[in-house]
Amino acid sequence: MSKESNESNESKESKEVYILGNGKSLEGFDFEFFKDKNTVGTCLAFRHWREIDWYPNHYVCVDSKVLKSNIESIKDLIENKRCETFLLDASIIKHWEGILQFQNVMYLQQLQRSEGNPFRYLIDWCSGSSAVLYSYIIGFNNLNLLGMDCHYLEFLPECEKQKDGSLKIIKEIKENPNYFINNYQQVGDIYNPPNASTVHKKSWEDLRNILVMYNVLTREPIELTNYNSNKTLDHCFKRKELKELFEFEVIENEEDAEAKKTKVGR
């Protein structure tokens, strides 16, 4: 774990993090907003991060198909220390045994077997819900969700179903209805079907129940806000419009500036 996380566990102060899904609601978002913030990114968004020369502090991907299909990109993230820590599906070890030398990589199955770990109680999961729970166990308790739309076109015209039930992109996607960048998925990508109404939705409900349970057991506050215009997860979490993030940022900056003026005036 990072030094940041250890310090957070020792202190009961609020520690904020921004957990980034890759839904359409994040389209056009200026990632400059995150430059001085703690962040967790997920899955294939590294294609956008490369273009803007920015990477999150932490990375999560627990889709075994996505990991196998993008093994070289995952290697780049880890070997070149693009992020501080990683949470992956353990299936990646079969395709890259060398990953075991990296102490900042954790595995979903490892956490599920760890006594007292919230991951033990997950029944369904996706990379998004896993990223939120991972953020919590590494010390964050003020959790801000962006791009977690839980709203998908299940079968794209540009994909083809494989024998094992997975999907493969066989044509270039001109306009991707599911993700915040159109080149999020590329020809040759293999991935699991979203199953939004079953696996994804249930994984978010599991997450909500686990956080409520730990909130009661530890008697420590956990704040979670879903910044999204999509109402899909309203039954799980408090929601605010994405634009409210920027309004809050402006107010905070103005308050900081006023405080500095007052200090100088003294």
Side-chain angles (χ1 to χ4, degrees), residues 2 9 11 16 37 106 157 169 183 209 219 225 234 236 247 250 265:
S2 67
N9 287 331
S11 171
E16 188 173 52
K37 297 175 175 60
M106 300 196 73
I169 303 296
N183 66 342
N209 296 340
R219 299 182 182 179
T225 305
D234 278 8
C236 294
E247 292 170 358
V250 169

Side-chain angles (χ1 to χ4, degrees), residues 18-23 40-44 59-63 87 108 119 122 124-136 143-150 152 179 184 199-200 203-205 207-208 211 224 233 237:
Y18 292 82
I19 307 158
L20 313 181
N22 304 309
V40 180
T42 58
C43 298
L44 296 175
Y59 175 80
V60 175
C61 181
V62 295
D63 187 321
L87 175 65
L108 174 68
F119 275 89
L122 277 181
D124 292 290
W125 58 85
C126 63
S127 291
S129 60
S130 297
V132 177
L133 199 53
Y134 181 64
S135 300
Y136 174 65
L143 314 171
N144 299 292
L145 279 54
L146 287 80
M148 303 292 188
D149 297 0
C150 198
Y152 298 91
Y179 297 103
Y184 182 84
V199 175
H200 272 73
S203 75
W204 289 109
E205 292 169 351
L207 172 70
R208 172 201 59 197
L211 291 178
L224 191 152
L233 299 179
F237 312 117

Side-chain angles (χ1 to χ4, degrees), residues 59 61 67 71 74-79 86-107:
Y59 175 80
C61 181
L67 290 172
I71 192 70
I74 301 301
K75 283 184 179 181
D76 172 71
L77 290 174
I78 296 171
E79 291 178 337
F86 301 83
L87 175 65
L88 309 175
D89 186 90
S91 62
I92 193 174
I93 299 170
K94 294 185 294 184
H95 313 294
W96 180 30
E97 291 185 3
I99 195 173
L100 292 172
Q101 68 182 292
F102 296 95
Q103 299 301 307
N104 60 338
V105 180
M106 300 196 73
Y107 305 97

